[in-house]
C-alpha cells in the first residue's frame, strides 16, 4: 500500500515543474506557531510574538543550545507546513491526538489541558444540553472534534482562529465557545471577555499538549524531552507558568 | 503544471505559410517537433492523471468514504444553493444598476459607477471579511437600526456579499449586451409602430441575450469557484467540508476529491452553456 | 478608539505592517504577471497548433486551471506539490527538506490560473488577425519567425491588450487568497490588525480601499498604455 502511494505521489510530483526554494540546514531550529492564541502564542501590537508557548520554546532552545527562529502559520495548515519543512517543530499548544500522531511525532507533554465552555454571564447555557445551540470553536482543534463527536446536535461554527470565535461570542453570533481551559481563562479575565464566564465543569480533561516534529525525527524528540525535563528541574518552567497562570498547568 | 513547449515560435503556427504559396503544404507526417512536444506534454498529463488515480486508489478507505461522502454532498448542496440564490438576487439587483449606468442623470450615473467600481475593484474575500467580521464589530449600531438579526447569520452575510458582488458584474454584462444592440434596431422598431415595451421584449432582449449568454455563464462559473471562500466565515460549503475533513484526517485525498467535484460541475456547466449557445445561434450558422 | 493612531506608522500603529502588506501584494502580482503572460502565450500557440496532441494538452491545461477554484489551486500547489516532492525525495533516499515558500506557491498557482485565461485572450486575438496578414508576410519573403515577430505580434498585442488589462485587475484581487496560506499581504496584515485590536470594520475597510487604490492606479496606467498602443496602430 505505502509503496504504491509513494509511486503515485512520485509520478504526480515528477510531472510538476515547480519553483523550488533552497534546502534547509539543520543547525538552526525553526519553530512553527500560530500567533493568534493568547496567552499561549499571540502577536503584540508591535508585531512581536509573546505567550506561554513562546517563552517555553525560548527556554527549550536555550537549554538545547539551538538558535531558534519563529515562523507563524495559520492553524489549518500548520501540520502540512511542518511536513513540508517550513519549520522543524510546532510549539503551538497542540494536543496530542491519535490522528495527528499518525502524521507527526510528539514529544512528551509540556502541559495538560482540558476543554471548557464559555458563554455570556446572563445566558443560561448548560453544557449537558446544547441541542440546536450555535457553538463556536477554532477549526481543526480538539474542541471542534469534541463538539462533533459528543454534541452532534449542536450547530458547530468553526473559525480560522480562536480570536474570531470569541469576537462572535461577544456579539452574539454564537451562544457559547468551547476551547482550551488556558485560553478561555485568560479571555474571561480580560476586558474583551468580561461579558462572559465559564459554564459548567471542564470536559475532556485527559488532553495533553506536546511539541510536534516530523515523523521519524526521534533524535529531535529526545532532545526536546531532555530539555523539558531540564527546565522543569531548574525552575524555569515554574517561572514561566507563574507569569501566565495562577495555577499549575503542567499537571503530573 | 505543464512544461512549456521548447520553442515558442515554431510549433504554434498553423500549417500555413510553408515553402510554396499554393496549395498549402499537407499536414506534416511522422515526427515533427510539434508532434514530439505534443506527445511529451500529453505524457505528462497522463502521468498526472495516472498518479492521481493511483494515489486515490492507494489511499482508498471505506470508513473515510462513508464518513465524509455524505458531508461532501451536503457541502456541494450548500455551494449550489449559495450560488443559485446569489446569482438570482444579483440578477434582480443588476437591472437598476445597469439602468443607472445608462442614466442621463449625472448623479445616478456616478453612483452606479462607484458601486460597480467598488465591487469589481476589491477582492471578494476582503468584501466578505468586511461584511462578516467588520459588521460584526458594529453590532450596537446595527441593532439600533434593526438589521442585526440579518447580519448575525454567516449564511445571510455570505448571500448578501455574494449578491452585491455578482450584481456589479452582471450589471456590466447587461449594459454591454444592451449597448451591443444598435440604435438602428430601436429606430426601426419605432418606425414599425412597436411600443417601447414591445421593442424591449421582441427586438432588444432576443439579440442582447445572445451576446450576454456566455458572459452570464462565465459569471456563474466564477461564482461557483469564488464561493469556495465562504468556508472562512463558518459556512460549510464544499470547500468548508473539505477543509474540515482535511483538518481531521490530514489525508490529502480530501483535497483531490474536492478538486474533481469542482472540475466536474464547472465542466458540466460549460458544456451546457455551449449547447444552449449553439441552439440559440443556429440561425446565424452558415 | 483613536483611528488615526491605529493606522499610524509607529510601533503601536498598524500603518507600517499594512504598508508592508501592500508591498507584498504588489510584488506578488508583478512577479506573477510575466509568468502568466509567457505561459498563456505558449498555451495559446498550443491551442492554435495543427498538431492535435498539442491542442489537446493545451486544452487540458485550460480546463483544469479555469475549472478549479483559485483557492483550491493554491492549496494543491502549496501543500500538495510540497508533500509530493517530499515523498519523492524520501523515496529517492534523500534527507533534505525542500521548501516551496508561500510566495512561490502563490506565483505558480496564480500564474497558472492567469495563463489559462490569458491563453483564451491570446487565442481570440490570433483569430482576429486576418489570414491575409500571414499570406502578405509570406509573399514578402518573411520567415515564420519574422512573420510572428514583425507582423503578427504587434497587432496581437494591440488586440489582446484590453482583455489582458482586465486579467491584470483580476490577478491583483486574487492575490488576496495567499493571505489564507500565510503570506503577509494586505488582507493578512489587516486581518491580524483587526484580530488584535477588535476594529474589524476599520481594518477590512482599509484593505478594500487599498485594493481600490491599486485598481485605480492600474486602470490609469493601463489606459495610458492602451492609448499609446492604439495610437501607434492607427498611424500605420
Amino acid at each position: 500500500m505505502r509503496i504504491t502511494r509513494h509511486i503515485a505521489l512520485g509520478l504526480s510530483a515528477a510531472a510538476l515543474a515547480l519553483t523550488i526554494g533552497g534546502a534547509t540546514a539543520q543547525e538552526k531550529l525553526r519553530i512553527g506557531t500560530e500567533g493568534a492564541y493568547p496567552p499561549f502564542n499571540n502577536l503584540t501590537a508591535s508585531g512581536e510574538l509573546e505567550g506561554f508557548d513562546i517563552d517555553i520554546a525560548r527556554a527549550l532552545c536555550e537549554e538545547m543550545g539551538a538558535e531558534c527562529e519563529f515562523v507563524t502559520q495559520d492553524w489549518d495548515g500548520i501540520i502540512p507546513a511542518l511536513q513540508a519543512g517550513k519549520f522543524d517543530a510546532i510549539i503551538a499548544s497542540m494536543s496530542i491526538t491519535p490522528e495527528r500522531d499518525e502524521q507527526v511525532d510528539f514529544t512528551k507533554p509540556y502541559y495538560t489541558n482540558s476543554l471548557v465552555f464559555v458563554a455570556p454571564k446572563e445566558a443560561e447555557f448548560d453544557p449537558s444540553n446544547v441541542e440546536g445551540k450555535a457553538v463556536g470553536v477554532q477549526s481543526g482543534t480538539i474542541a471542534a472534534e469534541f463538539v462533533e463527536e459528543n454534541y452532534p446536535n449542536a450547530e458547530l461554527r468553526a473559525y480560522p482562529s480562536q480570536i474570531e470565535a470569541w469576537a462572535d461570542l461577544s456579539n452574539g453570533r454564537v451562544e457559547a465557545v468551547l476551547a482550551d481551559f488556558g485560553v478561555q481563562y485568560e479571555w474571561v479575565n480580560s476586558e474583551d471577555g468580561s461579558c462572559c464566564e465559564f459554564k459548567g465543569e471542564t470536559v475532556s480533561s485527559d488532553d495533553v499538549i506536546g511539541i510536534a516534529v516530523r515523523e521519524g525525527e526521534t533524535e529531535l524528540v529526545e532532545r526536546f524531552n531532555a530539555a523539558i525535563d531540564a527546565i522543569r528541574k531548574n525552575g524555569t518552567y515554574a517561572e514561566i507558568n507563574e507569569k501566565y497562570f495562577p495555577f499549575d498547568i503542567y499537571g503530573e | 503544471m505543464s512544461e512549456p513547449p521548447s520553442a515558442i515560435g515554431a510549433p504554434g503556427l498553423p500549417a500555413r505559410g510553408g515553402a510554396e504559396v499554393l496549395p498549402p503544404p499537407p499536414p506534416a507526417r511522422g515526427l515533427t517537433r510539434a508532434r514530439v512536444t505534443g506527445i511529451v506534454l500529453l505524457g505528462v498529463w497522463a502521468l498526472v492523471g495516472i498518479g492521481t488515480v493511483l494515489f486515490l486508489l492507494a489511499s482508498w478507505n471505506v470508513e473515510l468514504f462513508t464518513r465524509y461522502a455524505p458531508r461532501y454532498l451536503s457541502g456541494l448542496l450548500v455551494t449550489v444553493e449559495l450560488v443559485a440564490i446569489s446569482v438570482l438576487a444579483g440578477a434582480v439587483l443588476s437591472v437598476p444598476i445597469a439602468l443607472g449606468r445608462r442614466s442621463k442623470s449625472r448623479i445616478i450615473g456616478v453612483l452606479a459607477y462607484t458601486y460597480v467600481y467598488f465591487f469589481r475593484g476589491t477582492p471578494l474575500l476582503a468584501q466578505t471579511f468586511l461584511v462578516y467580521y467588520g459588521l460584526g464589530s458594529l453590532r450596537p449600531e446595527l441593532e439600533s437600526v434593526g438589521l442585526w438579526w440579518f447580519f448575525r447569520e454567516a449564511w445571510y452575510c455570505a448571500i448578501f456579499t455574494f449578491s452585491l458582488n455578482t450584481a456589479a458584474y452582471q450589471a456590466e454584462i447587461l449594459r454591454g449586451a444592451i449597448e451591443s444592440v444598435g440604435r438602428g434596431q430601436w429606430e426601426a422598431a419605432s418606425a414599425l409602430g412597436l411600443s417601447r415595451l414591445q421593442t424591449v421584449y421582441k427586438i432588444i432582449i432576443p439579440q442582447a441575450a445572445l451576446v450576454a449568454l456566455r458572459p452570464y455563464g462565465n459569471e456563474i462559473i466564477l461564482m461557483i469557484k469564488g464561493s469556495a471562500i465562504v468556508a472562512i466565515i463558518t459556512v460549510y460549503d464544499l470547500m468548508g467540508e473539505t477543509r474540515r475533513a482535511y483538518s481531521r484526517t490530514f489525508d490529502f485525498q480530501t483535497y483531490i476529491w474536492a478538486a474533481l467535484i469542482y472540475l466536474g460541475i464547472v465542466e458540466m456547466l460549460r458544456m451546457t452553456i455551449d449547447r444552449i449557445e449553439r441552439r440559440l445561434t443556429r440561425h446565424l450558422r452558415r | 478608539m483613536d483611528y488615526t493612531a491605529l493606522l499610524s506608522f509607529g510601533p503601536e500603529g498598524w500603518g507600517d505592517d499594512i504598508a508592508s502588506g501592500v508591498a507584498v501584494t504588489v510584488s506578488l502580482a508583478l512577479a506573477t504577471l510575466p509568468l502568466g503572460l509567457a505561459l498563456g502565450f505558449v498555451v495559446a500557440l498550443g491551442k492554435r497548433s495543427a498538431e492535435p496532441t498539442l491542442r489537446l494538452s493545451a486544452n487540458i491545461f485550460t480546463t483544469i486551471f479555469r475549472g478549479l477554484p483559485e483557492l483550491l489551486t493554491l492549496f494543491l500547489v502549496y501543500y500538495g506539490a510540497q508533500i509530493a516532492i517530499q515523498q519523492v525525495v524520501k523515496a529517492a533516499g534523500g534527507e533534505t527538506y525542500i521548501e516551496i515558500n508561500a510566495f512561490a506557491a502563490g506565483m505558480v498557482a496564480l500564474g497558472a490560473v492567469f495563463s489559462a485565461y490569458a491563453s483564451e485572450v491570446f487565442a481570440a486575438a490570433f483569430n482576429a488577425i486576418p489570414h491575409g496578414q500571414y499570406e502578405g508576410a509570406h509573399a514578402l519573403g518573411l520567415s515564420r519567425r519574422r512573420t510572428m515577430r514583425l507582423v503578427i505580434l504587434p497587432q496581437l498585442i494591440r488586440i489582446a491588450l484590453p482583455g489582458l488589462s482586465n486579467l491584470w485587475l483580476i490577478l491583483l484581487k486574487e492575490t488576496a487568497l495567499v493571505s489564507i496560506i500565510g503570506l503577509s499581504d494586505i488582507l493578512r496584515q489587516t486581518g491580524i490588525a483587526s484580530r488584535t485590536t477588535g476594529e474589524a470594520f476599520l481594518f477590512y475597510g482599509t484593505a478594500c480601499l487599498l485594493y481600490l487604490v491599486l485598481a485605480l492606479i492600474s486602470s490609469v496606467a493601463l489606459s495610458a498604455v492602451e492609448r499609446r498602443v492604439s495610437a501607434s496602430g492607427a498611424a500605420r
Side-chain angles (χ1 to χ4, degrees):
Chain A
M1 262 328 223
R2 254 211 100 82
I3 290 172
T4 340
R5 200 157 158 159
H6 280 166
I7 294 172
L9 278 164
L11 285 178
S12 338
L16 295 163
L18 279 167
T19 327
I20 293 168
T24 54
Q26 199 62 328
E27 75 278 345
K28 211 177 180 185
L29 270 184
R30 287 170 309 162
I31 308 293
T33 197
E34 188 198 2
Y37 207 61
F40 291 94
N41 58 79
N42 56 280
L43 291 166
T44 63
S46 49
E48 299 287 315
L49 275 168
E50 62 171 13
F52 179 82
D53 287 335
I54 307 302
D55 286 356
I56 291 286
R58 290 210 172 101
L60 293 177
C61 288
E62 198 182 322
E63 195 60 47
M64 291 157 63
E67 194 187 325
C68 283
E69 182 186 83
F70 288 98
V71 180
T72 53
Q73 164 74 44
D74 285 354
W75 185 252
D76 269 351
I78 206 160
I79 284 186
L82 173 75
Q83 289 169 328
K86 283 182 209 307
F87 34 78
D88 308 300
I90 300 172
I91 305 187
S93 292
M94 181 174 273
S95 302
I96 302 173
T97 66
E99 288 99 340
R100 288 178 185 151
D101 213 8
E102 268 180 34
Q103 302 291 323
V104 297
D105 282 354
F106 280 105
T107 61
K108 64 191 290 185
Y110 67 96
Y111 75 88
T112 43
N113 174 46
S114 53
L115 298 173
V116 67
F117 278 103
V118 156
K121 283 175 180 155
E122 65 279 5
E124 280 180 27
F125 180 84
D126 180 5
S128 61
N129 178 24
V130 293
E131 189 169 340
K133 297 252 165 78
V135 176
V137 295
Q138 183 180 5
S139 74
T141 59
I142 55 154
E145 205 170 300
F146 191 85
V147 174
E148 258 184 60
E149 301 288 326
N150 298 285
Y151 306 106
N153 296 322
E155 207 181 298
L156 180 67
R157 299 276 173 78
Y159 292 85
S161 83
Q162 190 59 48
I163 295 172
E164 277 133 4
W166 286 323
D168 271 5
L169 177 64
S170 42
N171 67 31
R173 276 184 178 143
V174 293
E175 287 157 271
V177 163
L178 182 69
D180 292 0
F181 183 83
V183 283
Q184 299 274 52
Y185 177 86
E186 163 87 3
W187 189 68
V188 293
N189 288 308
S190 73
E191 197 190 325
D192 291 338
S194 57
C195 60
C196 305
E197 62 183 10
F198 286 150
K199 297 284 180 182
E201 297 290 304
T202 58
V203 293
S204 162
S205 50
D206 53 350
D207 178 30
V208 285
I209 306 290
I211 300 167
V213 302
R214 279 179 293 269
E215 265 197 313
E217 302 211 337
T218 358
E219 194 212 316
L220 189 56
V221 170
E222 293 309 320
R223 284 170 67 202
F224 270 122
N225 284 345
I228 292 172
D229 287 339
I231 62 166
R232 283 288 297 166
K233 258 197 211 105
N234 67 18
T236 316
Y237 187 98
E239 226 170 85
I240 297 171
N241 186 343
E242 212 171 300
K243 182 173 161 194
Y244 292 97
F245 309 103
F247 50 86
D248 171 35
I249 197 166
Y250 186 75
E252 289 299 337
Chain B
M1 225 119 324
S2 77
E3 287 279 359
S6 51
I8 287 184
L13 278 180
R16 42 190 309 117
E20 303 303 319
V21 175
L22 279 173
R29 288 180 187 281
L31 285 179
T32 61
R33 229 159 86 193
R35 179 151 303 165
V36 173
T37 322
I39 289 171
V40 168
L41 286 178
L42 273 187
V44 170
W45 283 124
L47 279 184
V48 171
I50 294 169
T52 308
V53 170
L54 279 182
F55 174 69
L56 287 179
L57 282 180
S59 44
W60 174 255
N61 180 335
V62 181
E63 199 190 324
L64 204 72
F65 187 81
T66 46
R67 181 173 176 140
Y68 289 104
R71 295 189 180 186
Y72 271 53
L73 192 66
S74 88
L76 179 60
L77 287 180
V78 170
T79 296
V80 170
E81 203 179 328
L82 178 63
V83 171
I85 296 176
S86 305
V87 167
L88 288 178
V92 174
L93 264 175
S94 72
V95 176
I97 300 165
L99 293 178
R101 286 279 274 126
R102 286 170 56 79
S103 166
K104 288 188 189 79
S105 150
R106 233 186 115 73
I107 300 166
I108 296 177
V110 167
L111 280 180
Y113 183 72
T114 312
Y115 178 92
V116 169
Y117 204 91
F118 177 80
F119 281 99
R120 302 210 319 166
T122 54
L124 182 58
L125 187 60
Q127 293 163 16
T128 310
F129 283 167
L130 184 65
V131 168
Y132 188 72
Y133 293 119
L135 293 185
S137 68
L138 300 178
R139 178 187 176 187
E141 290 84 347
L142 285 169
E143 260 177 345
S144 64
V145 291
L147 285 175
W148 175 247
W149 64 270
F150 184 83
F151 291 106
R152 189 174 174 269
E153 298 298 325
W155 173 245
Y156 291 149
C157 286
I159 288 183
F160 178 77
T161 318
F162 284 23
S163 302
L164 293 187
N165 181 280
T166 183
Y169 286 91
Q170 290 188 35
E172 289 301 279
I173 295 172
L174 196 60
R175 189 175 67 97
I178 293 173
E179 283 173 3
S180 75
V181 182
R183 276 186 66 85
Q185 299 282 334
W186 292 89
E187 284 158 7
S190 96
L192 286 173
L194 294 182
S195 75
R196 218 182 140 73
L197 207 62
Q198 273 176 319
T199 312
V200 167
Y201 274 100
K202 303 266 179 197
I203 312 287
I204 307 302
I205 287 185
Q207 297 183 69
L210 273 188
V211 177
L213 178 70
R214 188 150 286 274
Y216 265 120
N218 286 339
E219 176 59 19
I220 296 174
I221 289 173
L222 287 180
M223 284 306 285
I224 291 176
K225 300 197 308 171
S227 71
I229 61 165
V230 288
I232 295 162
I233 59 161
T234 76
V235 174
Y236 286 108
D237 71 329
L238 180 54
M239 191 69 179
E241 290 292 354
T242 307
R243 282 165 71 97
R244 166 146 78 171
Y246 184 68
S247 73
R248 283 298 298 275
T249 61
F250 302 104
D251 194 334
F252 202 72
Q253 64 166 314
T254 51
Y255 277 125
I256 307 274
W257 284 114
L260 294 178
I261 298 173
Y262 273 113
L263 269 184
I265 38 179
V266 167
E267 216 27 46
M268 241 159 53
L269 209 68
R270 208 187 295 282
M271 283 196 256
T272 315
I273 296 162
D274 279 347
R275 191 162 300 168
I276 297 175
E277 191 179 42
R278 234 175 303 147
R279 204 177 148 70
L280 287 182
T281 56
R282 60 193 190 279
H283 63 285
L284 295 176
R285 238 170 289 143
R286 275 175 289 182
Chain C
M1 245 325 140
D2 184 0
Y3 291 151
T4 46
L6 281 175
L7 290 173
S8 73
F9 281 73
E12 292 301 310
W14 289 88
D16 44 346
D17 305 77
I18 296 172
S20 77
V22 174
V24 170
T25 294
V26 171
S27 45
L28 177 62
L30 284 177
T32 307
L33 183 67
L35 177 74
L37 281 178
L39 196 56
F41 187 72
V42 171
V43 174
L45 288 180
K47 282 187 173 169
R48 287 177 49 79
S49 167
E51 174 57 45
T53 52
L54 268 184
R55 282 203 305 270
L56 186 58
S57 314
N59 285 331
I60 294 176
F61 181 85
T62 46
T63 303
I64 291 178
F65 288 104
R66 293 196 319 167
L68 287 178
E70 288 75 9
L71 186 58
L72 194 51
T73 309
L74 202 57
F75 283 148
L76 290 176
V77 171
Y78 188 58
Y79 298 133
Q82 196 138 38
I83 292 171
I85 290 174
Q86 222 63 81
Q87 297 281 357
V88 172
V89 171
K90 221 192 248 174
E95 265 301 313
T96 48
Y97 282 92
I98 294 161
E99 180 187 343
I100 305 176
N101 65 32
F103 192 91
M107 237 176 92
V108 170
L110 295 177
V113 175
F114 183 95
S115 66
Y117 284 97
S119 74
E120 300 283 293
V121 173
F122 281 127
F126 268 121
N127 283 339
I129 297 174
H131 285 312
Q133 297 286 331
Y134 295 96
E135 282 154 12
H138 183 67
L140 286 175
L142 293 182
S143 70
R144 266 183 173 200
R145 204 164 278 246
R146 286 177 58 123
T147 306
M148 184 55 114
R149 195 161 57 85
L150 299 175
V151 180
I152 306 304
L153 264 183
Q155 303 182 57
L156 191 76
I157 291 171
R158 193 167 62 246
I159 301 169
L161 202 56
L164 295 178
S165 309
N166 198 26
L167 289 180
W168 162 258
L169 293 174
I170 292 173
L171 172 66
L172 209 49
K173 292 185 290 170
E174 268 167 10
T175 56
L177 295 175
V178 296
S179 64
I180 298 173
I181 58 166
L183 195 61
S184 303
D185 74 330
I186 295 177
L187 201 54
R188 185 173 162 83
Q189 296 297 71
T190 49
I192 292 173
S194 88
R195 277 179 207 166
T196 312
T197 62
E199 294 291 335
F201 196 79
L202 172 73
F203 284 110
Y204 287 129
T206 308
C208 284
L209 276 183
L210 288 172
Y211 282 108
L212 271 186
V213 169
L214 291 181
L216 209 66
I217 296 172
S218 309
S219 313
V220 171
L222 285 170
S223 61
V225 173
E226 270 171 45
R227 258 201 315 279
R228 251 191 92 103
V229 170
S230 64
S232 70
R236 176 167 54 111

